[in-house]
Amino acid sequence: MALLKIARMGHPVLRQRAEPISDPTDPAIRRLVEDMIETMADAGGIGLAAPQVHVPLRLVIYGLPPDDDGTPAAVPFTVLINPVIEPLGPDHAVGVEGCLSIPGMIGQVPRWTDIRVLYQNLAGDTLERVINGYHARVVQHECDHLEGILYPMRIADMGTFGFIEEFRKGGQHLDAVAD
Ligand code: NI
């Protein structure tokens, strides 16, 4: 396994549409996922999309490990290959997001609250998952990376975009930052 270099906002790989993965069972894809897991853990992120490690393929990983007492995480660790998102209703919610490609910054982003995601796993199975809330936010953020979209492009009120350190100094409560 290896730590991969994370592309930062401004790098063209983050603005292009990623290519579909024709064979999810290709060992090279499994190796990429292993390296992305290591890279995400090292960077302290909750999600990572392949374009963020300079690989323009439709692959994202996300999730949290179970709590120390074994309680399953609110966002289970998941590999999504060739994901397709469909909203399940008109409802949106605004929540705080950050991104490993935009270090030190956060902003408040509107996202659908309820979605269905169709995807493939590393075995090549086609699966479907219905998710909501914070979990759905993380998936929308990561899948946006596959379209060349970064979260600041989704912010409705740019007054909410800034340096996390400054918001903390101002006493803003910043639990549950999605990245
Ligand atoms: Ni991101």
Side-chain angles (χ1 to χ4, degrees), residues 2-179:
L3 283 179
L4 305 172
K5 193 170 177 208
I6 298 177
R8 292 186 304 173
M9 183 167 67
H11 194 292
V13 74
L14 295 174
R15 293 302 315 281
Q16 71 188 80
R17 189 166 192 277
E19 294 294 324
I21 291 174
S22 55
D23 180 8
T25 68
D26 185 334
I29 297 298
R30 182 172 290 276
R31 278 196 299 276
L32 172 61
V33 167
E34 287 169 359
D35 289 345
M36 286 174 63
I37 291 169
E38 191 180 355
T39 302
M40 183 174 79
D42 179 72
I46 189 183
L48 189 64
Q52 289 183 277
V53 291
H54 303 84
V55 178
L57 293 175
R58 303 186 79 76
L59 163 67
V60 310
I61 65 169
Y62 66 86
L64 296 167
D67 284 346
D68 290 342
D69 63 3
T71 309
V75 182
F77 180 78
T78 306
V79 177
L80 302 179
I81 296 170
N82 301 322
V84 177
I85 288 175
E86 179 190 338
L88 292 177
D91 293 349
H92 284 71
V94 173
V96 179
E97 297 185 21
C99 183
L100 294 175
S101 294
I102 312 169
M105 302 195 78
I106 52 170
Q108 297 205 17
V109 185
R111 300 283 187 189
W112 287 311
T113 56
D114 300 276
I115 63 172
R116 175 186 291 126
V117 57
L118 289 162
Y119 62 100
Q120 290 172 282
N121 62 13
L122 285 165
D125 307 315
T126 297
L127 302 170
E128 174 184 314
R129 193 180 269 187
V130 171
I131 53 180
N132 55 51
Y134 180 65
H135 186 174
R137 172 175 301 281
V138 171
V139 169
Q140 288 168 82
H141 176 117
E142 296 312 327
C143 290
D144 262 357
H145 278 297
L146 307 181
E147 303 301 323
I149 296 170
L150 299 168
Y151 80 84
M153 298 157 70
R154 298 266 192 206
I155 295 176
D157 175 3
M158 284 303 285
T160 69
F161 184 48
F163 289 95
I164 191 163
E165 206 182 330
E166 299 297 338
F167 286 124
R168 282 223 171 94
K169 275 193 223 161
Q172 195 173 125
H173 187 64
L174 297 175
D175 271 0
V177 174
D179 60 2

